[in-house]
Amino acid sequence: MGEVDPAFIQDLEHRPKLEIIKAEGIPLIDLSVISSPNTNLDNSQALDGLVKEIGNACKNLGLFQVINHGVPLDKRQKIENASRQFFGQPLEEKRKVRRDERKVLGYYDTEHTKNVRDWKEVFDFAVKTPTIVPSSYEPDDREVTEWFNDQWPEYPLELREALEEYAKDVEKLAFKLLGLVALSLGLPENRFHGFFEDQTSFIRLNHYPPCPVPQLALGVGRHKDAGALTILAEDDVGGLEVKRKTDGEWIRVKPTPDAFIINIGDIIQVWSNDAYESVEHRVMVNSQRERFSIPFFFNPAHCTDVKPLEELTNEQNPVRYKPYNWGKFFVTRKRSNFKKLDVENIQIHHFRILESELADKLEGALSVK
């Protein structure tokens, strides 16, 4: 990436500490009980313990790891190898499939998080093609557009096949996990499934080159994922850090061979009315080794109005968020991929109902009784 551009430098308060605090107690959950594609989650008594584990992990940390997940190891190895081959090419070759505001899928190397440039390069792939999204972030514009996976590099030839095969297997896992999250909230297993019929999910190939100033820059700055779930595959280098809720310290998540890291996104936080909270995380870089990761961002259809579920709210637990349209939220967030914004990008806290309003609602409910 050449000389260090000041655009990469984090503000003093957000610069990483080079001493690592290793995470203790991150749940490692065995999914062998649901590895069969014919498992009926509602009827299996053996799932009670698993559902409880998922619920505790979502509530306490918002992140956990899974093993025996049903995604074939050879599919994961195939996409990991193709990713290394693609990013190993000269920059001019990769930029032949560079994305822009018109073609939003493909290669990119100037992405920003919290208006600071990330020390990484990526390749994005839509799980559903075409992916239908709003044409613009303007609230009164009702037009939609279609995104296609129409930018493919000449090398490696197997990249497209590897991504398509991997997407099918991880999508199956995503729906299983979504069902477990629903059950852990006391909901029917398929309560969320209808929101994903025309999903806007995508897979990202991440490459974090060695960085000469790991004390000043981040692979990805602090953030929370906007979607429902993220399913992350990573190599053995490590670098993912999560912000511990108890004391605000950043702790390192140690990679587990053949495991996936699952984190709860903002949509689950809103649907659950804060019963579960999305986890804030970031990615460290180092000066010696490159790192590769592959997140699967599980997102609902663009027409989804995200709001707390009626089943999870009542007079004593009033609605904490105003509804927002996922498609408009999604394309608004995408704007910061292509230019540095002068203001904070859109977040779910912009839709949070003020505590004073909640207190008034609760007081009113109690006085009625």
Side-chain angles (χ1 to χ4, degrees):
M1 289 189 173
E3 296 183 5
V4 178
D5 188 321
F8 289 109
I9 306 304
Q10 295 283 327
D11 290 341
L12 186 61
E13 62 183 303
H14 299 303
R15 291 177 187 174
K17 299 177 182 178
L18 295 186
E19 61 270 21
I20 296 172
I21 302 176
K22 293 185 179 180
E24 301 290 342
I26 290 182
L28 181 64
I29 300 177
D30 188 339
L31 298 182
S32 55
V33 71
I34 64 164
S35 60
S36 169
N38 298 318
T39 300
N40 185 324
L41 298 186
D42 283 323
N43 295 332
S44 176
Q45 293 183 353
L47 287 169
D48 290 347
L50 176 58
V51 169
K52 186 175 181 180
E53 279 189 277
I54 294 287
N56 287 338
C58 293
K59 183 177 181 179
N60 296 330
L61 186 59
L63 177 140
F64 52 95
Q65 298 188 71
V66 295
I67 56 174
N68 297 320
H69 39 66
V71 177
L73 180 58
D74 64 323
K75 301 288 183 64
R76 177 165 166 173
Q77 291 173 334
K78 185 176 181 179
I79 188 58
E80 288 173 345
N81 291 336
S83 177
R84 288 178 179 273
Q85 292 172 4
F86 172 72
F87 288 120
Q89 297 181 102
L91 185 58
E92 58 268 23
E93 287 298 316
K94 292 178 285 191
R95 285 186 169 172
K96 289 179 180 179
V97 291
R98 193 174 191 268
R99 75 188 192 200
D100 54 35
E101 292 186 67
R102 185 175 61 88
K103 291 187 174 183
V104 301
L105 300 167
Y107 174 78
Y108 205 61
D109 61 349
T110 55
E111 192 162 272
H112 291 70
T113 302
K114 304 289 187 183
N115 287 324
V116 180
R117 188 174 169 186
D118 297 328
W119 191 272
K120 68 176 181 183
E121 52 183 350
V122 308
F123 185 92
D124 284 346
F125 167 86
V127 172
K128 186 178 179 62
T129 186
T131 291
I132 302 172
V133 297
S135 295
S136 79
Y137 60 88
E138 297 293 345
D140 296 329
D141 184 356
R142 300 302 178 188
E143 296 296 316
V144 297
T145 190
E146 296 178 333
W147 292 350
F148 291 90
N149 295 311
D150 53 5
Q151 296 204 104
W152 294 104
E154 296 179 9
Y155 177 84
L157 291 175
E158 63 270 23
L159 179 62
R160 181 172 190 168
E161 180 181 75
L163 273 167
E164 290 174 347
E165 291 177 351
Y166 182 77
K168 290 178 182 178
D169 286 306
V170 181
E171 182 185 26
K172 293 176 185 176
L173 173 61
F175 275 109
K176 290 288 189 181
L177 289 167
L178 196 68
L180 290 169
V181 171
L183 289 173
S184 73
L185 288 166
L187 302 169
E189 177 267 333
N190 63 353
R191 178 62 177 88
F192 300 125
H193 284 33
F195 297 121
F196 292 82
E197 289 182 3
D198 293 307
Q199 61 182 283
T200 55
S201 306
F202 67 100
I203 292 175
R204 168 166 290 177
L205 307 180
N206 284 323
H207 175 227
Y208 304 94
C211 176
V213 287
Q215 75 281 10
L216 300 178
L218 287 167
V220 183
R222 73 199 190 283
H223 69 286
K224 295 184 175 186
D225 291 346
L229 294 173
T230 302
I231 302 175
L232 177 71
E234 63 171 346
D235 62 18
D236 63 350
V237 175
L240 175 65
E241 294 190 335
V242 297
K243 193 172 186 178
R244 193 162 52 196
K245 296 179 184 180
T246 54
D247 58 9
E249 286 285 355
W250 289 99
I251 57 175
R252 178 69 58 90
V253 180
K254 182 180 179 181
T256 300
D258 194 30
F260 285 109
I261 297 171
I262 314 298
N263 67 271
I264 297 300
D266 285 342
I267 288 178
I268 294 290
Q269 178 170 332
V270 174
W271 278 339
S272 73
N273 204 39
D274 284 350
Y276 297 159
E277 184 179 352
S278 57
V279 61
E280 188 170 12
H281 53 287
R282 67 184 187 183
V283 175
M284 296 275 286
V285 287
N286 66 72
S287 60
Q288 302 298 319
R289 300 181 66 186
E290 61 183 343
R291 176 178 179 264
F292 296 86
S293 71
I294 309 171
F296 177 109
F297 297 102
F298 197 37
N299 301 330
H302 78 92
C303 57
T304 303
D305 287 329
V306 182
K307 58 185 178 180
L309 299 181
E310 291 183 6
E311 306 97 300
L312 301 178
T313 61
N314 53 43
E315 292 179 340
Q316 287 71 42
N317 183 31
V319 169
R320 297 176 180 273
Y321 295 91
K322 301 171 185 177
Y324 63 90
N325 174 261
W326 165 248
K328 291 295 185 181
F329 189 101
F330 187 40
V331 297
T332 301
R333 287 282 286 260
K334 282 283 186 182
R335 290 177 62 212
S336 67
N337 289 349
F338 302 103
K339 60 183 176 181
K340 184 174 180 178
L341 304 178
D342 295 326
V343 296
E344 179 187 29
N345 207 345
I346 192 169
Q347 308 287 339
I348 60 169
H349 69 71
H350 295 133
F351 300 92
R352 181 183 284 278
I353 296 173
L354 297 176
E355 291 297 328
S356 58
E357 296 179 55
L358 291 174
D360 290 343
K361 287 183 179 181
L362 184 57
E363 182 179 353
L366 292 173
S367 63
V368 169
K369 292 183 179 299

